[in-house]
Amino acid sequence: MAIEHTLSILKPDATRRNLTGKINALFEAAGLRIVAQKRIQLSEAEAGAFYAVHKERPFYGSLVSSMLSAPVVVQVLAGENAVAKHREVMGATDPKKAEPHTVRAQFAESIEANSVHGSDSPENAATEIAFFFAGTEILP
């Protein structure tokens, strides 16, 4: 199987609690490699543009606000079937429904403060990665 890339965001609720290393250790233990990474403070325009797909949904405003509340870590993960593997390790969006060994079951505070974001398809991964990274920033 070919190596895929996927976007991973460690959200403000995770960075605020210094969980970056613990969460990334779970991704790496699952066979994913971090091939690009940076800690950034999103602007309102950036958060709004990134989550524009949800603009008509009732949670859009609170989602954007929460993403502005502290820095985030944006990163590109690589591995076989990386999109699906990353989503498996993240767990269900609602931490109460997430499998016990997943990131969200272990670290999420709520359905909104769920510690991580991950691309949901290889096509969206390419778009999301390009939102944050130039191709030259992604290392083999």
Side-chain angles (χ1 to χ4, degrees), residues 44-123:
E44 187 170 356
E46 289 169 325
F50 184 76
Y51 285 110
V53 66
H54 299 302
K55 192 165 187 142
E56 301 305 318
R57 297 196 176 175
F59 59 83
Y60 173 77
S62 62
L63 174 61
V64 170
S65 292
S66 72
M67 292 300 285
L68 303 176
S69 66
V72 298
V73 173
V74 293
Q75 54 194 12
V76 179
L77 305 179
E80 288 188 15
N81 206 21
V83 172
K85 176 60 71 178
H86 182 236
R87 294 189 69 75
E88 177 185 318
V89 176
M90 287 190 316
T93 302
D94 182 347
K96 293 177 186 169
K97 297 177 181 173
E99 293 293 324
H101 62 280
T102 63
V103 171
R104 289 176 172 151
Q106 294 180 56
F107 303 116
E109 296 176 315
S110 68
I111 196 166
E112 256 188 30
N114 61 19
S115 299
V116 289
H117 165 89
S119 303
D120 62 3
S121 70
E123 298 77 23

Side-chain angles (χ1 to χ4, degrees), residues 18-30:
N18 294 318
L19 297 174
T20 302
K22 290 179 181 178
I23 292 171
N24 280 336
L26 294 176
F27 295 147
E28 291 177 329

